[in-house]
């Protein structure tokens, strides 16, 4: 595991965008695993700007997303499908034929079978992750097993509260999601995690300090990945006693 500490969150996001851009330039048809939420928004802005300047070519790149709320159709204002269209895919010209994301309004079992067939045949080259305050990655909430393949989850109460900021009415936050399982995330050839903010400190401590992999903090699974880079800003990295086996840049 490698840790890259930037002066600010904005600088970290720019470095993550450069990291992704370099991978896309190296392999034009790579399968990029992406996340939603607030954290990657400036990364997507940098990628869209780089594409507009003609510096990054997404004409063959494929995207697969981690998760989607159960019950939301793809054009619902709060769906992650719509989030990806508005924050990146429309700007860089990636059509639905090169974009895979759970369909929140599809019959659940059929949808899980479709996604798992896709995952079995399409290994992810580079996966971008954010992390929940409780250490979730994707929507793999604490104290569940580390499952392989896509699965349906009940969101933790804290996650529902955290995500209420995106909804007009807190009551309308879905309570269930479909998420890529940790086994599938861990099979990505490379993983990048970007985190910022005081509320992510405990999760980053569990990941970066010495200590065991534990379902109580799902992000700790990344300790076992052979090609994983964590991007933090100085404010978040301070006070974390980074384990000696982690390379710090
Ligand atoms: C979303 C996802 C989640 C978020 C996490 C952090 O696709 O996978 O694990 O990365 O909830 O969200 P933000 O970035 O809004 O703090």
């Amino acid at each position: 595991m490698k840790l890259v500490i930037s002066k600010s969150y904005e600088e970290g996001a720019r470095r993550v965008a450069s990291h992704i851009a370099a991978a896309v330039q190296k392999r034009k048809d790579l399968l990029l695993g992406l996340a939603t939420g607030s954290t990657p928004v400036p990364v997507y802005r940098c990628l869209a700007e780089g594409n507009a300047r003609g510096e990054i070519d997404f004409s063959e790149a494929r995207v697969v997303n981690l998760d989607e709320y159960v019950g939301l159709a793809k054009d619902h204002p709060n769906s992650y499908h719509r989030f990806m269209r508005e924050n990146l895919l429309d700007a860089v010209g990636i059509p639905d034929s090169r974009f895979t994301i759970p369909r929140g309004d599809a019959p659940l079992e059929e949808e899980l079978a479709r996604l798992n067939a896709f995952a079995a045949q399409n290994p992810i080259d580079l996966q971008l992750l954010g992390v929940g305050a409780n250490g979730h990655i994707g929507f793999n909430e604490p104290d569940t097993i580390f499952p392989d393949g896509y699965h349906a989850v009940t969101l933790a109460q804290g996650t529902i509260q955290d995500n209420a900021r995106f909804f007009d009415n807190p009551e309308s936050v879905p309570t269930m999601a479909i998420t890529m399982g940790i086994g599938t995330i861990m099979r990505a050839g490379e993983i990048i995690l970007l985190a910022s903010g005081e509320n992510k400190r405990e999760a980053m401590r569990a990941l970066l300090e010495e200590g065991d992999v534990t379902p109580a903090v799902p992000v700790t699974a990344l300790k076992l990945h052979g090609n994983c880079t964590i991007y933090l800003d100085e404010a978040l990295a301070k006070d974390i006693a980074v384990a000696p086996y982690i390379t710090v840049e």
Side-chain angles (χ1 to χ4, degrees), residues 34-40 65-67 80 129-133 136-139 159 163 165-166 199-200:
L34 295 178
T36 56
S38 306
T39 310
N65 258 71
L66 288 166
D67 40 24
Y80 284 169
L129 297 175
V131 62
H136 72 213
I137 49 176
F139 275 137
T159 301
N163 291 354
R165 70 191 192 277
F166 297 113
N199 62 334
K200 309 291 171 75

Side-chain angles (χ1 to χ4, degrees), residues 32-88:
L32 199 50
L34 295 178
T36 56
S38 306
T39 310
V41 170
V43 176
Y44 298 154
R45 196 179 315 119
C46 288
L47 290 174
E49 287 167 3
N51 178 256
R53 287 194 299 268
E55 293 163 7
I56 317 167
D57 176 10
F58 285 98
S59 61
E60 293 173 43
R62 297 167 301 137
V63 168
V64 59
N65 258 71
L66 288 166
D67 40 24
E68 179 62 280
Y69 290 116
V70 168
L72 301 196
K74 68 184 212 179
D75 50 1
H76 186 283
N78 291 110
S79 80
Y80 284 169
H81 186 116
R82 178 121 169 221
F83 174 99
M84 290 308 297
R85 285 253 142 262
E86 289 175 353
N87 283 282
L88 181 71

Side-chain angles (χ1 to χ4, degrees), residues 39 131-135 158 162 165 195-204 236:
T39 310
V131 62
N134 63 7
D162 283 349
R165 70 191 192 277
S196 179
E198 208 42 51
N199 62 334
K200 309 291 171 75
R201 184 178 303 279
E202 285 318 307
M204 289 300 93
L236 178 54

